[in-house]
Amino acid sequence: MRLALPQWAGTLAVKAAVFITVMCCALAALLGVLVHVSVTNQTVGQARDLALSRLADATKAYEAGDTLVPGTGVDPPGLPDALRELAVDGDRGTMVSDRHGRPTMWAAGPADRNRALAVEVDYSQQSRTIAGLDRAILWSSGLAIGATLLVGAIAVTRVTRRLQTTAQVARRISGGDLDARVGDPRTKDPAHPHDEVAAVAAALDSMAASLQGKLLSEQRFTADVAHELRTPLTGLHAAAELLPPGRPTELVRDRVAALRTLTEDLLEISRLDTGRERVELDAEELGALAERVVRASGTDTSVVVLRDARVETDRRRLERVLGNLVANGHKHGRGPVSLTVEGPVVTVRDHGDGYPDYLVEHGPQRFRTEGGAKGHGLGLTIAVGQAEVLGARLEFANAVDGGAVARLTLRQGD
């Protein structure tokens, strides 16, 4: 079972801080141990040499029968048992132990009759030196870790702040704001070396500019084609009206009407793509507006008002959205088709095969239909675009028992 970490633990700043702290602690511990071992060995070695030197002098005095100096004796009290046994066995050695609460360096060697000749040297100064060194190592290590962590945190925070800015711009671009740019100052000077974050920012800005150019070109093309088609279609419509009655005339008029509808849809989409549409807000009773939309559609659509609501919206645009949803339900679904009002939420449902998977997951795409459906995929695209202008949320789903469900959530008026 994998341990679930809190969300903040996944940030780059936290990971960098943990890495810097661990590395600083490891380095401080390594250097501290090396210094401690080196100084301790040197200090202990000097004390041992002094004790052994005094032991050699004491041995000469003992063998000559001279009086032993203070701090020297045969089997003196406080001599460590292990060191005494070593001396009795005929070897010399040293050992540090406490005597009367003070650290003492002992040196012992063999004497006569299984006794040990020992010398004690005060080891307090050396012990205090080593203890002071250890405290200095701890304090200096703590200060070094804190300073390194502070400097590292500042450096990492600057990088993460730039990355967060780049991520925010990327989200704005994905949300449709193609004018958004990172504008990292490091990318504006060609002579200045770029780091990886600046390279990502420059690539994102370049991608956004290229994408914006392509989309603007596509929008201009769509608008130009639609505008150019209006004039000949108007003339074609007038000419079709002059044809004598008959089946061929009906077919021509039907196709001309379809072309005119497609042209108007393209013009509307091109206006929505520019993002410059302005709403004319007014308070509307949602139930009454829904009934007007159904009457205007001329379709057999049931209107169910579970809870009426007064919404602040643009009536013309809202009627366009609901009208397209109702028309799509009858054209691509099966009856019965219902429009339900429940507060600021309007639901349009049919009982057909439901929306394609791509539409539910990614939303409608112009000029894309599946399952043998007729049309150009523009009706729902226009509905989504007009809903965005209104500040509403339009969602698409499929009912569990079959049928397509479109749910429009509006802002409720005061």
Side-chain angles (χ1 to χ4, degrees):
M1 181 177 178
R2 189 174 181 179
L3 182 63
L5 297 176
Q7 185 176 3
W8 57 263
T11 62
L12 179 61
V14 173
K15 292 180 178 178
V18 171
F19 176 77
I20 293 173
T21 303
V22 171
M23 293 303 297
C24 286
C25 290
L27 183 60
L30 177 61
L31 293 177
V33 169
L34 291 177
V35 173
H36 173 82
V37 170
S38 176
V39 173
T40 301
N41 288 340
Q42 183 179 2
T43 303
V44 172
Q46 292 174 351
R48 181 183 293 113
D49 292 342
L50 177 61
L52 290 175
S53 175
R54 291 185 179 181
L55 177 63
D57 295 339
T59 301
K60 292 179 181 179
Y62 180 75
E63 292 175 349
D66 297 335
T67 303
L68 298 177
V69 300
T72 305
V74 177
D75 287 340
L79 179 64
D81 294 337
L83 184 59
R84 183 181 183 283
E85 292 177 2
L86 179 68
V88 169
D89 291 339
D91 294 324
R92 289 186 175 189
T94 59
M95 181 178 291
V96 177
S97 67
D98 286 339
R99 176 170 171 76
H100 303 304
R102 294 186 307 170
T104 301
M105 171 68 74
W106 290 95
D112 56 353
R113 295 194 297 265
N114 292 328
R115 293 187 300 173
L117 178 63
V119 174
E120 60 177 292
V121 176
D122 187 9
Y123 193 69
S124 301
Q125 181 62 39
Q126 292 85 342
S127 180
R128 286 194 295 270
T129 300
I130 295 175
L133 175 66
D134 291 341
R135 287 193 298 270
I137 290 175
L138 290 176
W139 278 105
S140 60
S141 298
L143 290 176
I145 291 173
T148 305
L149 185 59
L150 179 61
V151 173
I154 293 174
V156 172
T157 301
R158 292 182 63 186
V159 174
T160 54
R161 188 181 299 115
R162 292 167 61 197
L163 287 174
Q164 289 171 355
T165 300
T166 303
Q168 290 173 357
V169 172
R171 285 191 289 268
R172 288 172 56 191
I173 293 173
S174 65
D177 184 7
L178 297 181
D179 293 324
R181 297 291 186 273
V182 179
D184 194 322
R186 294 167 181 80
T187 63
K188 298 178 180 180
D189 185 6
H192 192 279
H194 295 175
D195 58 9
E196 288 77 3
V197 180
V200 171
L204 180 63
D205 287 348
S206 176
M207 181 200 70
S210 176
L211 180 62
Q212 185 179 36
K214 291 179 180 179
L215 289 178
L216 290 176
S217 177
E218 178 185 340
Q219 292 170 8
R220 284 194 297 268
F221 175 77
T222 302
D224 292 344
V225 168
H227 277 291
E228 292 298 327
L229 285 175
R230 294 184 83 179
T231 300
L233 281 175
T234 301
L236 188 60
H237 176 74
E241 293 297 326
L242 299 177
L243 293 176
R247 180 59 180 167
T249 299
E250 293 178 1
L251 291 176
V252 170
R253 291 176 178 174
D254 180 67
R255 293 300 87 195
V256 170
L259 281 174
R260 293 189 67 181
T261 301
L262 174 60
T263 301
E264 295 300 327
D265 287 347
L266 288 174
L267 283 172
E268 186 171 357
I269 287 177
S270 67
R271 289 194 299 268
L272 292 172
D273 285 341
T274 61
R276 298 187 178 91
E277 292 286 271
R278 295 292 179 266
V279 295
E280 298 178 1
L281 296 178
D282 197 4
E284 296 285 343
E285 296 292 338
L286 200 51
L289 187 144
E291 291 176 353
R292 289 200 305 270
V293 169
V294 170
R295 285 197 302 270
S297 68
T299 59
D300 184 16
T301 304
S302 61
V303 178
V304 180
V305 180
L306 299 178
R307 178 167 58 88
D308 205 354
R310 190 174 183 84
V311 294
E312 193 79 14
T313 187
D314 186 319
R315 179 180 57 81
R316 180 183 63 84
R317 296 183 189 278
L318 180 56
E319 289 177 349
R320 177 68 159 153
V321 174
L322 297 181
N324 282 14
L325 294 178
V326 170
N328 185 82
H330 284 281
K331 187 174 183 179
H332 301 292
R334 288 191 299 271
V337 178
S338 61
L339 189 154
T340 304
V341 176
E342 186 174 2
V345 180
V346 182
T347 304
V348 178
R349 178 185 175 181
D350 62 54
H351 290 75
D353 298 328
Y355 293 120
D357 292 338
Y358 81 88
L359 192 148
V360 174
E361 185 174 355
H362 302 291
Q365 300 176 19
R366 62 192 71 174
F367 297 106
R368 177 176 179 180
T369 55
E370 291 185 0
K374 297 180 180 179
H376 305 283
L378 300 182
L380 293 182
T381 302
I382 292 174
V384 170
Q386 294 289 11
E388 290 178 353
V389 174
L390 292 174
R393 186 174 71 253
L394 181 56
E395 301 170 299
F396 301 95
N398 290 322
V400 177
D401 55 347
V405 179
R407 182 174 292 103
L408 179 68
T409 305
L410 298 160
R411 294 181 299 184
Q412 195 164 2
D414 296 333

